[in-house]
Amino acid sequence: MAVIVLSGTIGAGKSSLTGMLAEKLGTTAFYESVDDNEVLPLFYSDPKKYAFLLQIYFLNKRFASIKAALKDDNNILDRSIYEDSLLFHLNADLGRANQKEVDVYDELLDNMLERISKSDINTAPDLLVHIRVSFDTMMKRIVKRGREYEQIENDPDLYEYYNELNRRYDRWYNDFDICPKIQIDGDKYDFVENPDDAEKVLKDIETKLAEIR
Ligand SMILES: Nc1ncnc2c1ncn2[C@@H]1O[C@H](COP(=O)(O)OP(=O)(O)OP(=O)(O)O)[C@@H](O)[C@H]1O
Ligand SMILES: Nc1nc(=O)c2ncn([C@H]3C[C@H](O)[C@@H](CO)O3)c2[nH]1
């Protein structure tokens, strides 16, 4: 059994492409807990207080989704577990988590990752689909989607948070070597509004899947 995982910064288009890909492959989409996530608005209102709690919340949900997704072939997860650490370490570097919290988190994540390591072909993802967007596109998409707590007009500090997150994502993707990967240009391909772009992106992913299997 194997899964396909999406990755990318906030607003990159992961949920959108997850749904499209699951429909195309006739499989199930597993979405990140957002609308039903009571910790997320708390985190945006007071990041220092809630960064660690949010991270544990996401890690727990993510692990449950992975276990459920692994029950069938080709299910799609709208964010990989490998990005959680990137988000948490950014928050820690911004002083929103202390060293003890970082140590506990890193150890917990390592423990969980042992169960889905790249040496285990039954649990490691088949493919990571990374949607890369420029900072400019990221900002436009966050506005377009309109989640209140993510808007810069409500919290100007988010500008630097998003900017740094986007920069770190580029490095993270280049270094990623857990499973085969493919990058989608989310600036170039408007796969949400343009059916030709959607077809091209889905075809590229299917070609890559055929190549690696
Ligand atoms: N390629 C695209 N072209 C045009 N609009 C897009 C594209 N990708 C996403 N969008 C739009 O951008 C917004 C964010 O997309 P989506 O929710 O899929 O992102 P996400 O990566 O899942 O974000 P998050 O990590 O915050 O959950 C939505 O309004 C979506 O319709
Ligand atoms: N701090 C933090 N750590 C995570 O692991 C994480 N995963 C997602 N998110 C935030 C980003 C979007 O606002 C929203 C939807 O992706 O949730 C996270 N935030």
Side-chain angles (χ1 to χ4, degrees), residues 8 26 29 42 51-52 54 58 69 71 82 101 113 128 137 141-142 160 168-169 180 186 194 196 205 207 212:
L42 295 175
F52 182 69
L54 178 66
F58 268 124
K71 292 195 171 134
Y82 311 109
E101 288 170 327
L113 287 178
L128 176 118
T137 298
R141 300 270 166 81
I142 288 171
E160 224 5 84
R168 289 190 187 198
Y169 255 104
N194 181 331
D196 290 342
I205 297 170
T207 304
I212 59 181

Side-chain angles (χ1 to χ4, degrees), residues 8-10 79 83 85-96 130 132-136 138-139 142 152 156-173:
T9 190
I10 300 171
R79 182 174 249 136
E83 292 153 82
S85 177
L86 163 73
L87 279 141
F88 184 50
H89 278 265
L90 169 57
N91 279 288
D93 291 346
L94 293 171
R96 297 162 172 184
H130 179 69
R132 191 204 175 262
V133 290
S134 62
F135 180 58
D136 192 42
M138 175 184 181
M139 298 309 297
I142 288 171
I152 282 181
D157 289 348
L158 285 172
Y159 185 92
E160 224 5 84
Y161 180 61
Y162 292 156
N163 201 0
E164 180 58 18
L165 183 62
N166 207 32
R167 269 200 293 267
R168 289 190 187 198
Y169 255 104
D170 282 339
R171 263 177 276 148
W172 174 86
Y173 176 74

Side-chain angles (χ1 to χ4, degrees), residues 59 140 162:
L59 189 55
K140 287 189 183 129
Y162 292 156

Side-chain angles (χ1 to χ4, degrees), residues 9-11 14-15 32-34 37 40 43-44 51 54-55 58-59 62 78-79 83-85 87-88 91 96 105 145 147 149-150 161-162 165:
T9 190
I10 300 171
K14 299 179 298 297
S15 304
E32 202 173 35
S33 162
V34 177
N37 182 335
L40 196 54
F43 165 75
Y44 278 98
L54 178 66
Q55 217 57 50
F58 268 124
L59 189 55
R62 196 97 60 208
D78 97 332
R79 182 174 249 136
E83 292 153 82
D84 285 34
S85 177
L87 279 141
F88 184 50
N91 279 288
R96 297 162 172 184
Y105 180 80
R145 186 180 47 210
R147 279 185 205 133
Y149 48 77
E150 289 177 349
Y161 180 61
Y162 292 156
L165 183 62

